[in-house]
Amino acid sequence: MELRQLKHFVAVAEELHFTRAAAKVHVVQSTLSASISSLEHELGTALLVRNNRRVDLTTAGQALLPDAQNALAAADQARAAVDAVRGVLSGHLCIGVIQGLGTVDLPALLARYHRSFPRIDISLRHDPIDTLVQATADGGLDLAFVSRPYDGSRVKELFLGNEPLVLAVRHDDPLAGRDVVALTDLQEREFVERRADLRTRLHIDGICAELGFRRSICAESNTPVDLVDLVAAGLGVAFLPPALVEKSEHLAGVATDPMIPRELALITPSERAPSPAAAAFLGELVSGGAVSGRREPPVV
């Protein structure tokens, strides 16, 4: 079993598509297929179910994937550690990010980081909070920018600050000219919202429940960017990060009373030391003055 074979298998497992996976690892599709077939022959079992439309993992493939990802991450970290000793920092940095991140100017931070460490490749991943936390703890991500609440039992936290959500409305909405709107004045409005099982939705629902009212939800999505488009189309209003509202020329953001707090944090795994690439990124973050303070990880 070779690292090259594991790399090819992980690419297909993550893309669930041979053409996209081949492009991702920079080989032709026939080479990718031959590499995985050789790995399956060596292991004595099929790892993938292939058909004309898509690729799925077999039970054996699902069992192999986490260990294959960890093996590749360990190899990258070992290579980066040797490069660090030689004074040449290289490798890969995988960052998880919630949508609408405020407080930290991530594009500017990444640009500065790339200028300092041009041999480190960077990839960004957007997912729900729980998915980002799990991936950081398990090794699929080096670190992640998230908001509270979340299960912090397997991660460390660097607190970045508090940025309340705002009520997103269309510019022609009667509330658009208000400085502040009371949450209890919104009982007759229709909302577009995140799925009911997502952390931010549960957080918002809890605050509204404490005030004694239940919102009318007319549409749901698992991505805040969709909510921006739905509000702009006039379907309803939404509680969104200011950064997302500011990017839309069709929306206005109104402060709420009481506010809906959004505590932002950067998390790293607590069960292993940061890779050299991740440690360098944390250094850039701290030196740039983006860190407000430290708190103990939350446990939910």
Side-chain angles (χ1 to χ4, degrees):
M1 186 184 304
E2 301 175 2
L3 285 174
R4 174 182 57 84
Q5 294 172 313
L6 294 179
K7 182 178 181 180
H8 293 167
F9 164 70
V10 168
V12 176
E14 291 178 344
E15 296 294 332
L16 294 178
H17 195 281
F18 269 91
T19 302
R20 291 196 299 267
K24 184 176 183 179
V25 294
H26 309 294
V27 298
V28 297
Q29 188 171 330
S30 59
T31 299
L32 183 72
S33 297
S35 175
I36 293 176
S37 294
S38 177
L39 178 61
E40 290 176 321
H41 178 74
E42 182 178 345
L43 294 174
T45 186
L47 301 173
L48 304 170
V49 178
R50 305 159 174 84
N51 58 49
N52 292 332
R53 293 186 176 180
R54 58 170 290 155
V55 179
D56 289 308
L57 293 174
T58 64
T59 302
Q62 293 172 354
L64 175 62
L65 181 57
D67 287 334
Q69 291 171 322
N70 289 338
L72 293 175
D76 286 343
Q77 187 164 344
R79 190 178 298 110
V82 173
D83 285 342
V85 171
R86 294 170 51 227
V88 181
L89 197 59
S90 64
H92 186 82
L93 179 67
C94 192
I95 302 173
V97 191
I98 55 173
Q99 292 185 337
L101 177 68
T103 303
V104 175
D105 187 345
L106 185 58
L109 175 59
L110 291 176
R112 188 171 72 244
Y113 177 78
H114 180 64
R115 287 193 296 270
S116 300
F117 308 102
R119 294 187 58 183
I120 297 177
D121 298 325
I122 303 166
S123 61
L124 299 178
R125 172 175 158 187
H126 291 282
D127 270 317
I129 295 170
D130 284 346
T131 303
L132 295 178
V133 173
Q134 185 71 39
T136 302
D138 289 344
L141 294 172
D142 290 297
L143 46 87
F145 291 92
V146 298
S147 63
R148 289 185 170 194
Y150 60 85
D151 180 357
S153 59
R154 296 179 60 206
V155 295
K156 297 178 182 178
E157 178 189 90
L158 197 60
F159 181 62
L160 300 176
N162 188 4
E163 181 187 56
L165 298 177
V166 296
L167 179 72
V169 299
R170 283 168 51 112
H171 276 304
D172 58 0
D173 191 287
L175 295 177
R178 299 268 294 272
D179 292 327
V180 181
V181 60
L183 292 181
T184 51
D185 289 344
L186 302 173
Q187 298 193 55
E188 304 302 319
R189 298 301 301 263
E190 287 191 308
F191 282 80
V192 293
E193 252 299 358
R194 302 151 185 84
R195 283 200 330 252
D197 61 322
L198 298 180
R199 292 277 183 173
T200 301
R201 168 71 180 277
L202 294 170
H203 177 53
I204 296 171
D205 285 348
I207 292 174
C208 292
E210 289 178 359
L211 296 173
F213 81 97
R214 188 172 184 173
R215 292 175 299 151
S216 173
I217 309 296
C218 63
E220 293 181 344
S221 172
N222 65 336
T223 59
V225 171
D226 287 343
L227 302 183
V228 171
D229 293 336
L230 294 175
V231 174
L235 187 59
V237 298
F239 295 119
L240 293 172
L244 283 182
V245 177
E246 292 165 4
K247 289 181 179 179
S248 174
E249 61 182 9
H250 304 292
L251 302 187
V254 184
T256 65
D257 181 24
M259 71 174 187
I260 301 175
R262 186 178 188 237
E263 295 182 322
L264 300 173
L266 182 141
I267 57 170
T268 55
S270 59
E271 298 169 0
R272 65 184 186 280
S275 67
F281 179 83
L282 291 170
E284 288 286 341
L285 178 70
V286 173
S287 66
V291 180
S292 302
R294 295 177 180 270
R295 294 188 180 183
E296 292 300 317
V299 177
V300 178

